[in-house]
Amino acid sequence: MSGFDWPALMQAGLRGLRLRPAEFWALTPAEFRLMLGEAQGLAPLARDGLEALMRSFPDMNGDVKDG
């Protein structure tokens, strides 16, 4: 089953944005999100997110070198 709420997406595109069906179906998800006013892209990883990742996936030995 798809994770998309197609009726709501189509209503937003066809009624809210007044797109023609061909215009709606030609959009990429990123273009559609931008047209709906959603922020583009993900927020950068902040220090607390990095620390959570480091706790979840610790290095197996401490002598790993960069590069």
Side-chain angles (χ1 to χ4, degrees), residues 2 10-18 22 25 27-29 36 38 40-41 51-55 59 63 65:
S2 173
M10 292 174 67
Q11 188 160 1
L14 301 176
R15 285 190 174 170
L17 297 173
R18 299 190 180 274
W25 291 112
L27 290 172
T28 66
L36 289 174
E38 293 184 24
Q40 41 184 338
E51 290 171 354
L53 280 173
M54 291 169 56
R55 282 190 303 276
D59 288 338
D63 60 12
K65 295 182 174 69

Side-chain angles (χ1 to χ4, degrees), residues 28-58:
T28 66
E31 292 169 331
F32 189 57
R33 289 181 62 177
L34 183 64
M35 291 179 79
L36 289 174
E38 293 184 24
Q40 41 184 338
L42 299 173
L45 183 64
R47 184 67 187 187
D48 58 340
L50 175 61
E51 290 171 354
L53 280 173
M54 291 169 56
R55 282 190 303 276
S56 296
F57 303 98

